[in-house]
Amino acid sequence: MDPEISIMLQCPSPKGLSETEVRAELSPAYDRRQLPGGQAWIDAVWEARCRHSPWLFNGSKFRLHSAQLDGDSLTFRLGLTCYKDFLGTNRAGMARHLQQQGRQDFGDSQAYLAEPLGVGAMVHTADDCFVFLRRSLKVGEAPGLVDIPGGHPEPQAVVGDVPEESIRLQDLPRQMVVKEIFTSILREIRDEVNLPLPTLSQPVLLGIARNQTSAGRASAEFYVRCSLTLEQVKQRYEIGGPEAQESTGIIFIKREDVLTLEQTGGMWRELCPSAKGAVRLYTLVQGGGQ
């Protein structure tokens, strides 16, 4: 098994889970625990990263504390976090130390980590191929590796014009949070691959994968069907969308080859952890049919 990823949760049905089968539970109890030494370490990491990459900006994110399957429904337990805290915890050199400290203090290796919830999609074309993107060398994570379309659900999208720093959990209607988790992946596909929303099916959730190169940061992985063919998707990608700068090329892999990617090795080694987690979940959940 690849040490870069682990499966936190796998949907039991090959159909996956639709938006109506998912709930959100929001509580400050699901926020990150404050570091024993205070915020100074995170501030220092952020300042250093901003000097190196002045275009970085901090934004609020949903923090995944845990998730629970109950029959045919799933509950996300969510708090709030931010990108700055992610860089200063999950992505910091002391992440493993923080995990050890979390186990010792709370019996939870992730207690001190930002744990922003990510989203990713296995996009399936009309002629039975899946869409992958070669990441730009200028992106902050996994530069030059092969990924799937993805990003983060945004608390800001739920509350509208409320300033990022003023967003509170009590301002976030639970069902609107679920809607944002499912809607956000469609936005990412639209913006990264330049695919019109009417060409995309409603997402179905395959499960949640952990990226162990980011101290176990979790991502909800979806399956999305596209009504366009490989050539039509390629043409749309080459025109360019709002986030075209995040990738340098598009790659198509036949479904039959996706199902054996992890075993065959070659392309698997080029995938970044988020893509590996999505491919493994797709293989586990929908590999027997479709």
Side-chain angles (χ1 to χ4, degrees):
M1 283 295 194
D2 194 313
E4 291 188 348
I5 59 169
S6 61
I7 301 304
M8 176 179 171
L9 183 144
Q10 175 186 335
C11 292
S13 168
K15 296 179 181 178
L17 291 172
S18 67
E19 183 180 327
T20 59
E21 296 169 307
V22 176
R23 295 192 291 268
E25 184 180 307
L26 310 174
S27 170
Y30 301 146
D31 290 351
R32 178 181 66 82
R33 300 280 188 163
Q34 292 301 307
L35 302 186
Q39 188 76 6
W41 166 263
I42 292 175
D43 291 341
V45 170
W46 178 250
E47 289 169 10
R49 290 295 293 266
C50 287
R51 282 195 298 271
H52 182 263
S53 306
W55 58 84
L56 288 177
F57 69 94
N58 192 21
S60 63
K61 306 294 177 189
F62 293 106
R63 181 181 189 269
L64 182 64
H65 174 275
S66 55
Q68 181 174 334
L69 268 172
D70 184 11
D72 293 330
S73 67
L74 172 69
T75 300
F76 284 102
R77 296 193 180 103
L78 301 168
L80 286 176
T81 188
C82 64
Y83 187 64
K84 174 181 175 179
D85 285 4
F86 170 61
L87 291 183
T89 59
N90 288 76
R91 294 287 293 175
M94 65 182 295
R96 290 196 178 279
H97 168 72
L98 292 177
Q99 287 182 301
Q100 292 170 356
Q101 194 70 40
R103 288 190 200 96
Q104 179 180 316
D105 294 346
F106 303 104
D108 176 8
S109 64
Q110 309 306 99
Y112 289 121
L113 304 183
E115 294 289 276
L117 176 65
V119 292
M122 296 292 291
V123 180
H124 195 180
T125 68
D127 47 355
D128 209 28
C129 290
F130 282 94
V131 176
F132 294 82
L133 301 172
R134 176 74 68 180
R135 290 175 65 81
S136 166
L137 293 175
K138 296 181 180 179
V139 296
E141 291 184 64
L145 296 181
V146 175
D147 203 357
I148 54 172
H152 301 87
E154 305 289 350
Q156 181 80 65
V158 178
V159 297
D161 295 332
V162 176
E164 294 267 0
E165 63 275 9
S166 301
I167 295 175
R168 302 176 302 168
L169 282 171
Q170 54 263 46
D171 299 327
L172 301 168
R174 288 178 293 177
Q175 208 49 44
M176 291 300 292
V177 170
V178 173
K179 186 174 184 63
E180 167 59 13
I181 292 172
F182 277 73
T183 302
S184 64
I185 189 55
L186 295 178
R187 288 199 309 266
E188 296 292 349
I189 298 167
R190 178 195 65 192
D191 294 348
E192 294 180 10
V193 194
N194 196 33
L195 299 182
L197 292 179
T199 68
L200 303 174
S201 72
Q202 289 302 304
V204 293
L205 180 65
L206 301 172
I208 304 171
R210 286 195 178 277
N211 177 350
Q212 298 301 340
T213 71
S214 292
R217 186 264 297 267
S219 182
E221 307 296 357
F222 294 88
Y223 171 84
V224 176
R225 190 85 200 201
C226 178
S227 62
L228 303 180
T229 65
L230 177 159
E231 284 301 326
Q232 290 170 322
V233 171
K234 184 178 179 183
Q235 289 169 11
R236 295 291 312 178
Y237 174 81
E238 289 174 348
I239 292 170
E243 296 181 4
Q245 77 284 353
E246 293 186 3
S247 64
T248 58
I250 191 165
I251 298 166
F252 298 92
I253 304 178
K254 294 289 289 182
R255 179 179 183 274
E256 62 192 59
D257 295 327
V258 165
L259 296 176
T260 59
L261 269 183
E262 188 166 3
Q263 288 71 44
T264 52
M267 176 58 75
W268 181 262
R269 288 190 288 271
E270 293 194 58
L271 297 184
C272 62
S274 55
K276 289 179 177 179
V279 168
R280 183 182 290 176
L281 274 168
Y282 175 77
T283 303
L284 291 170
V285 176
Q286 295 191 339
Q290 196 82 6

